[in-house]
Amino acid sequence: MKPSIVSSLKGYNRETFVKDLLSGIIVGIVALPLAIAFGIASGVTPEQGIITAIVAGLVISLLGGSKVQIGGPTGAFIVIIAGIIQQYGMQGLMIATLLAGAFLIMLGLFRLGTIIKYIPYPIVVGFTSGIALTIFTTQVKDLLGLTIAEGVPSDFISKWVCYAQNITSLDLWSTIVGVGSVVIIASWPYINRVKYVNGHLSALNKLPGSLIAIIVMTIGVLILKSYGLAEHVDTIGDRFRINAALPAPAVPALSWEVVRSLFAPAVTIAVLGAIESLLSATVADGVIGDRHDSNQELIAQGVANLVTPLFGGIPATGAIARTMTNINNGGRTPVAGIIHAIVLLLIFLILMPYAQYIPMSCLAGVLVIVAYNMSGWRTFRQLLKNPKSDISVLLITFLLTVIFDLTVAIEVGLMLACLLCMRRMAETTQVSVLTDEIDPATEVDFEATNLEHFKIPDGCEVYEINGPFFFGIANRFEEIMGRMPRRPKVRIIRMRKVPFVDSTGMHNLENLVRMSHQQGIHVILSGVNPKVHEVLMRNGFGEIVGEENIRPHINLALERAREVLGGER
């Protein structure tokens, strides 16, 4: 494993640098309003959101396994960060983020990056759709300028009850600013279809709709306030004290009790970060025709989440929207991501004091669009046409995310993923019973010269297992044999298509042989592959069934059955 920047710099030239430079500048501008909005929505200051984008973005680009991944704060973390701060405070968030970073590094070092990709798609969609709805719900107060003296409740249903009870406190100007921001951002791509002005590419084409909305609404509110209007429209400066300086690194005080209490939230951050970053990197691979190193990417995400909280930052991961912006504007190496971090740093140091004039309802509008884009409602609707098992997993994960919290949803979701995987594996394993003869045309690994060799003798039954023999199928195999109308003298179990056997399968197989022997039934195994054969021998199965009753091919197994039946006569 090695960072992708190492291979990217081989043959690096001026032309590539120019593309990376332009893309990095654009991505830095795109990331600015999102970093501010994500920071405030998460319950921290706007500068903490930008610091996260700077530090995490730099580390992920330097150490990541993807050439074009852009890292920073994302909407997916808003809900979990706000919950941790509410329960454990900023110190708790720092510790949880550090723990999550350590977990991500371990996932990468143990080469478990590919396993994350096997989480069922309905679970991922359920998470993201649930988070999107939760983000939208948290922004309603600022979007409409509601005055809620007692504070907004934390749980989903109580929030909407509270909004309904306080809807009469709606501020008209805040609502106009919030809804206007949504309209500008949503319509900007259509306005931007006019890409050329007098034959030249318009500079406005490169600016994100969110930044345009913030500029327009901030100037608009300042003008209105100068005329004595829009006095009740809150701005960032009304709620936060802006500090345009990088803080000195600080390590939180650690204790076993605190670490233990934050273990579950840390796992949630790590799993969510791994899923989002690898999903983003995979999408990017499909666009640029590359292949990222998932384990190296997890290590980079882990290091980023170890370093960022030391400077007051929040959890970070790969951001799909910013990564795609990087690709669409020509970025092809991690240099673009490094430049994006430098651009954000310069903006932070020079222009951050002006952020105090940004209306809160405008930022709420930005997050409403983020929530809409995250929701994936078309995918959600499409998945509702899938089998009932997929629909159940989708809805359970979605409802747990919305009604309870992301920690519970992650825990239950991963459990559902395991159960779903086991069920799918059990469904792929088939058990068939042969009582007459075996079709020699299926015996591609044996040259048949005498068709009589494939006739099943009277008093013999052949069971064929096609697929893994594990606990999900072992009991079903016993049930099938128990339903057979007659008791044979010889049972042949064909295992040529069994790739592995687990401990439960071994236990059931041993019980089957012992019970068969008690009933006077001879058991013969046929076509056991070398790996399964080694497992059987290591567990003493040869002594139970008899090594002479483990045959490499069905022809030899039937021959052995005839010997047993002939001997009994």
Side-chain angles (χ1 to χ4, degrees):
M1 292 186 297
K2 62 180 179 180
S4 62
I5 194 170
V6 175
S7 59
S8 297
L9 292 179
K10 293 178 182 177
Y12 196 75
N13 53 42
R14 184 176 179 275
E15 183 183 352
T16 306
F17 174 72
V18 170
K19 291 180 179 179
D20 286 340
L21 176 63
L22 293 175
S23 180
I25 292 172
I26 293 167
V27 176
I29 294 171
V30 170
L32 176 66
L34 295 176
I36 293 173
F38 291 151
I40 292 174
S42 299
V44 299
T45 62
E47 57 259 35
Q48 283 177 285
I50 297 181
I51 288 170
T52 303
I54 294 169
V55 178
L58 180 63
V59 172
I60 290 169
S61 292
L62 284 172
L63 302 179
S66 170
K67 292 180 180 178
V68 293
Q69 180 91 285
I70 301 295
T74 65
F77 283 128
I78 289 175
V79 180
I80 186 66
I81 293 171
I84 293 173
I85 292 175
Q86 188 175 28
Q87 188 170 357
Y88 302 101
M90 279 304 302
Q91 286 287 308
L93 176 64
M94 289 179 68
I95 295 169
T97 308
L98 290 170
L99 288 174
F103 293 153
L104 285 165
I105 291 173
M106 287 190 287
L107 286 173
L109 291 176
F110 289 121
R111 299 183 180 275
L112 297 176
T114 54
I115 293 179
I116 298 294
K117 298 177 183 178
Y118 295 122
I119 293 179
Y121 192 50
I123 291 179
V124 176
V125 174
F127 285 153
T128 53
S129 298
I131 293 168
L133 180 56
T134 306
I135 291 173
F136 171 74
T137 301
T138 60
Q139 298 308 305
V140 171
K141 176 181 178 293
D142 285 336
L143 185 73
L144 303 179
L146 300 178
T147 301
I148 303 175
E150 64 277 11
V152 181
S154 58
D155 65 285
F156 177 80
I157 296 174
S158 298
K159 270 190 176 72
W160 283 104
V161 171
C162 179
Y163 294 152
Q165 292 172 342
N166 292 274
I167 193 64
T168 54
S169 67
L170 178 146
D171 179 68
L172 180 61
W173 285 112
S174 295
T175 304
I176 291 172
V177 170
V179 175
S181 300
V182 172
V183 172
I184 291 173
I185 300 170
S187 60
W188 188 246
Y190 301 98
I191 297 172
N192 238 3
R193 285 178 177 174
V194 183
K195 296 185 177 181
Y196 292 88
V197 178
N198 296 327
H200 299 286
L201 186 65
S202 171
L204 289 175
N205 181 58
K206 297 294 184 180
L207 296 178
S210 55
L211 184 62
I212 298 297
I214 286 176
I215 292 172
V216 170
M217 290 303 169
T218 300
I219 294 174
V221 169
L222 285 174
I223 293 173
L224 287 170
K225 286 192 174 185
S226 68
Y227 284 97
L229 302 172
E231 291 294 330
H232 297 293
V233 176
D234 282 351
T235 63
I236 289 178
D238 294 329
R239 299 191 189 179
F240 301 96
R241 181 175 174 270
I242 303 297
N243 183 19
L246 287 174
V251 179
L254 296 174
S255 68
W256 172 244
E257 288 300 320
V258 174
V259 170
R260 189 174 63 177
S261 64
L262 288 166
F263 187 85
V267 169
T268 302
I269 293 172
V271 172
L272 196 60
I275 292 172
E276 190 163 9
S277 63
L278 295 184
L279 179 62
S280 173
T282 302
V283 171
D285 285 349
V287 177
I288 66 173
D290 193 44
R291 186 179 181 85
H292 75 280
D293 184 337
S294 57
N295 296 310
Q296 182 63 43
E297 186 64 28
L298 288 180
I299 291 173
Q301 301 291 336
V303 175
N305 283 287
L306 281 178
V307 176
T308 304
L310 302 181
F311 294 91
I314 58 179
T317 185
I320 295 178
R322 275 156 277 173
T323 299
M324 291 306 298
T325 302
N326 181 33
I327 294 170
N328 293 336
N329 286 282
R332 287 299 180 271
T333 78
V335 174
I338 295 170
I339 292 171
H340 132 271
I342 295 172
V343 169
L344 277 173
L345 176 61
L346 294 175
I347 294 173
F348 176 75
L349 296 175
I350 299 170
L351 301 177
M352 193 60 191
Y354 297 103
Q356 64 180 315
Y357 301 112
I358 299 174
M360 293 298 297
S361 54
C362 178
L363 288 180
V366 171
L367 287 172
V368 165
I369 294 295
V370 169
Y372 176 81
N373 292 333
M374 276 186 67
S375 67
W377 62 270
R378 292 180 181 85
T379 304
F380 195 101
R381 184 180 62 185
Q382 185 63 36
L383 286 175
L384 292 176
K385 301 176 183 178
N386 282 13
K388 290 182 180 179
S389 58
D390 286 349
I391 296 173
S392 300
V393 170
L394 172 69
L395 294 179
I396 288 171
T397 310
F398 173 77
L399 292 173
L400 286 174
T401 303
V402 171
I403 296 175
F404 293 94
D405 59 55
L406 202 57
T407 302
V408 174
I410 289 281
E411 291 170 351
V412 176
L414 291 177
M415 182 181 70
L416 286 173
C418 294
L419 293 174
L420 197 61
C421 178
M422 289 185 288
R423 178 180 174 181
R424 291 286 187 262
M425 289 181 67
E427 289 173 348
T428 60
T429 302
Q430 302 296 326
V431 178
S432 55
V433 183
L434 308 174
T435 56
D436 186 13
E437 64 179 28
I438 296 167
D439 183 3
T442 64
E443 312 304 312
V444 294
D445 55 345
F446 186 81
E447 185 177 350
T449 56
N450 187 352
L451 299 184
E452 282 295 318
H453 289 173
F454 293 94
K455 185 173 178 60
I456 300 173
D458 291 338
C460 176
E461 286 179 353
V462 178
Y463 299 86
E464 181 157 11
I465 305 172
N466 186 356
F469 191 67
F470 70 119
F471 63 90
I473 194 66
N475 293 328
R476 183 148 61 93
F477 180 51
E478 286 186 349
E479 291 172 4
I480 290 172
M481 288 190 297
R483 291 199 299 265
M484 294 302 291
R486 61 194 179 97
R487 182 177 296 175
K489 295 180 179 179
V490 177
R491 278 179 177 147
I492 297 177
I493 303 175
R494 300 193 74 185
M495 301 179 68
R496 59 178 181 156
K497 295 181 180 179
V498 176
F500 72 85
V501 56
D502 73 347
S503 57
T504 306
M506 274 291 307
H507 176 71
N508 284 33
L509 203 55
E510 289 177 8
N511 283 346
L512 168 67
V513 173
R514 295 183 192 280
M515 290 175 60
S516 296
H517 287 172
Q518 291 174 4
Q519 296 169 355
I521 301 172
H522 207 90
V523 177
I524 302 170
L525 303 186
S526 168
V528 182
N529 75 39
K531 186 184 292 186
V532 175
H533 186 273
E534 181 185 350
V535 173
L536 294 177
M537 293 301 104
R538 195 165 58 241
N539 285 274
F541 196 78
E543 299 174 5
I544 299 171
V545 73
E547 292 190 25
E548 70 280 5
N549 294 315
I550 302 178
R551 297 302 176 100
H553 191 270
I554 186 61
N555 178 269
L556 301 176
L558 290 171
E559 194 174 287
R560 172 61 182 160
R562 293 187 188 95
E563 291 176 6
V564 172
L565 292 169
E568 290 184 356
R569 294 192 187 95

